[in-house]
Amino acid sequence: KYNINVDFPDDVKEEVKNIPKDIKNEDISDRVDLRDKLIFTIDGEDTKDIDDAISLEILPNGNYKLGVHIADVSHYVKPGTAIFREALKRGTSLYMLSSVIPMLPRELSNGICSLNPNEDRLAKSCEMEIDPSGNIVNSRIFDSVIKSRKKMSYTAVNDILENGTIPEGYEEYADLLKEMDGLSKAMSAKRKNEGAVEFAKPEMKIITDLKGRLKQIKILKQRSAEVLIENFMLSANETVATTIAKRRLPFIYRVHDEPNVDKLNEVAETIASNNSEIKKPSAPFSSSKVIQRFLNILSGHKEYPAYSNMILRCMSKAEYSGINIGHFGLAMRNYTHFTSPIRRFPDLLVHHLLGLYS
């Protein structure tokens, strides 16, 4: 219906034949070798295209050193190649029901670019020194070579963080995961205090049978492990954007404009008129903190999902831009998409720009 090509063109298939299955010594000569570091991934059980890995160390001054290590797709997908042109044409990977139509051929997305466990992989690493309150006090971005120790699942990590049970094979990681969870909670508190807007928007997972017919719809709740990964990726994205913004170099930002204040006022008045327990905020809606405080008040009412959706519809849509106006919803001055170059073309371009500016 939408002219989506499931298969790749012949010229892409020809180029894929020359993509190595393993990294070569000449590929790592100028990279920081992190293969001895405790690095791992956390994903869904059925994930095969693994973009991101993480690491954490406690520094002598009590701060954290958080590492976010992203697959260096830009090393293999160069401008001017058929693979690059096809990725540009596709724009993103498409996740439809139980199937995936990838942006890149599977030899890349599931193979040499995927941060599979116990395999050497090229990465772009963003290391951040973060204080106990969640403030990023120092950072550096560099090309690296890593070896993920383990492919963890959200389910198993949530068992450790929320239930206090340690699944088999996770024993050596449990304490570190708890340290990561502590940092994640500090990050969440900081983001909330700065006015990041969070809506009630549960995700759905559609379960199909082998013939693609609907079996079940599951409502997915974002739990500790999912929040942890989201917080770490947000921090890396912000750090990369801030680093380039300070240098005043051309870049691709993920921006989010201010909402329609008139529409927000109308919605707030409608909600207040239909519920005597709720009062419209006296402060203007031009501040994300006011919107978030109003959502916090609404969250105590059974109609909250509907109220949240009404407010969400007043918000601007996030977009990519070379002009950095900040990200209103995240309450961030600088933000980009750096963490998913396997499945998002803008992230791949960000990686190429980082290589150009290094």
Side-chain angles (χ1 to χ4, degrees):
K1 180 178 178 180
Y2 296 106
N3 298 315
I4 295 170
N5 293 322
V6 177
D7 204 5
F8 284 89
D10 290 339
D11 56 351
V12 172
K13 292 178 180 178
E14 281 300 313
E15 286 186 356
V16 166
K17 293 178 182 178
N18 297 319
I19 297 292
K21 291 182 170 59
D22 301 294
I23 68 172
K24 301 176 181 178
N25 287 333
E26 55 263 33
D27 295 332
I28 64 175
S29 58
D30 296 327
R31 292 174 176 266
V32 178
D33 193 340
L34 301 178
R35 287 175 290 184
D36 63 334
K37 299 293 184 181
L38 186 58
I39 296 173
F40 50 83
T41 64
I42 306 176
D43 283 284
E45 282 86 345
D46 53 355
T47 302
K48 296 181 176 63
D49 51 348
I50 306 174
D51 285 297
D52 53 271
I54 55 176
S55 59
L56 188 73
E57 299 175 35
I58 309 300
L59 299 174
N61 63 1
N63 288 348
Y64 301 93
K65 183 165 82 170
L66 171 65
V68 174
H69 314 279
I70 307 300
D72 189 0
V73 179
S74 63
H75 181 84
Y76 301 99
V77 183
K78 304 289 189 183
T81 62
I83 297 174
F84 186 92
R85 289 193 298 270
E86 184 65 18
L88 170 59
K89 184 178 177 181
R90 294 182 178 222
T92 65
S93 296
L94 300 176
Y95 296 84
M96 297 163 31
L97 298 181
S98 56
S99 63
V100 178
I101 300 175
M103 182 180 79
L104 300 172
R106 285 182 169 81
E107 290 86 347
L108 287 161
S109 63
N110 296 4
I112 191 64
C113 291
S114 183
L115 305 182
N116 301 326
N118 302 311
E119 295 181 3
D120 291 350
R121 287 292 183 260
L122 305 183
K124 286 193 180 296
S125 294
C126 177
E127 284 188 346
M128 297 155 278
E129 181 180 349
I130 306 174
D131 69 21
S133 298
N135 299 297
I136 300 170
V137 298
N138 205 353
S139 65
R140 67 174 184 143
I141 303 160
F142 55 93
D143 290 345
S144 63
V145 54
I146 69 169
K147 179 184 284 188
S148 171
R149 301 288 183 89
K150 186 175 183 63
K151 180 189 176 185
M152 300 188 185
S153 72
Y154 286 125
T155 302
V157 175
N158 279 322
D159 278 342
I160 294 171
L161 300 182
E162 298 179 356
N163 304 328
T165 59
I166 303 176
E168 185 178 353
Y170 284 77
E171 292 84 1
E172 65 177 298
Y173 304 100
D175 290 340
L176 181 58
L177 286 167
K178 291 174 183 176
E179 290 281 5
M180 287 181 165
D181 188 46
L183 174 58
S184 173
K185 285 181 168 60
M187 288 175 163
S188 291
K190 178 178 178 289
R191 285 179 57 215
K192 186 173 183 180
N193 183 60
E194 292 178 348
V197 183
E198 297 180 359
F199 293 94
K201 50 181 195 309
E203 293 186 23
M204 292 181 292
K205 183 172 184 178
I206 299 174
I207 312 297
T208 61
D209 62 19
L210 294 176
K211 293 184 178 181
R213 294 175 300 197
L214 176 65
K215 285 179 61 180
Q216 185 183 5
I217 298 177
K218 287 185 176 180
I219 303 297
L220 300 180
K221 181 183 178 184
Q222 197 177 47
R223 299 172 60 190
S224 298
E226 289 87 348
V227 171
L228 183 154
I229 291 297
E230 180 181 19
N231 280 332
F232 288 3
M233 298 305 117
L234 285 172
S235 295
N237 286 334
E238 182 183 22
T239 297
V240 169
T242 301
T243 299
I244 303 302
K246 286 180 178 178
R247 296 175 65 183
R248 299 181 181 276
L249 293 166
F251 204 54
I252 299 170
Y253 295 95
R254 184 68 171 172
V255 301
H256 185 221
D257 206 351
E258 294 181 358
N260 188 315
V261 175
D262 291 337
K263 286 186 177 179
L264 275 170
N265 281 323
E266 291 177 11
V267 166
E269 288 172 359
T270 300
I271 292 172
S273 65
N274 284 278
N275 192 323
S276 59
E277 297 178 5
I278 299 172
K279 292 184 178 180
K280 177 188 167 185
S282 56
F285 274 118
S286 54
S287 165
S288 60
K289 287 187 177 182
V290 175
I291 296 173
Q292 187 57 58
R293 283 198 294 267
F294 191 44
L295 286 168
N296 288 340
I297 293 170
L298 299 178
S299 65
H301 298 266
K302 64 180 181 180
E303 300 89 354
Y304 175 56
Y307 292 156
S308 176
N309 190 52
M310 291 167 68
I311 294 173
L312 177 61
R313 290 176 178 273
C314 300
M315 304 295 286
S316 301
K317 290 185 177 180
E319 60 184 9
Y320 296 103
S321 176
I323 300 173
N324 183 20
I325 63 170
H327 198 295
F328 181 88
L330 293 174
M332 290 182 182
R333 181 67 191 90
N334 306 298
Y335 192 68
T336 191
H337 274 172
F338 159 75
T339 54
S340 295
I342 288 177
R343 61 183 180 89
R344 283 193 309 233
F345 190 79
D347 303 53
L348 175 58
L349 282 187
V350 163
H351 279 222
H352 276 296
L353 289 172
L354 289 172
L356 185 65
Y357 297 153
S358 61

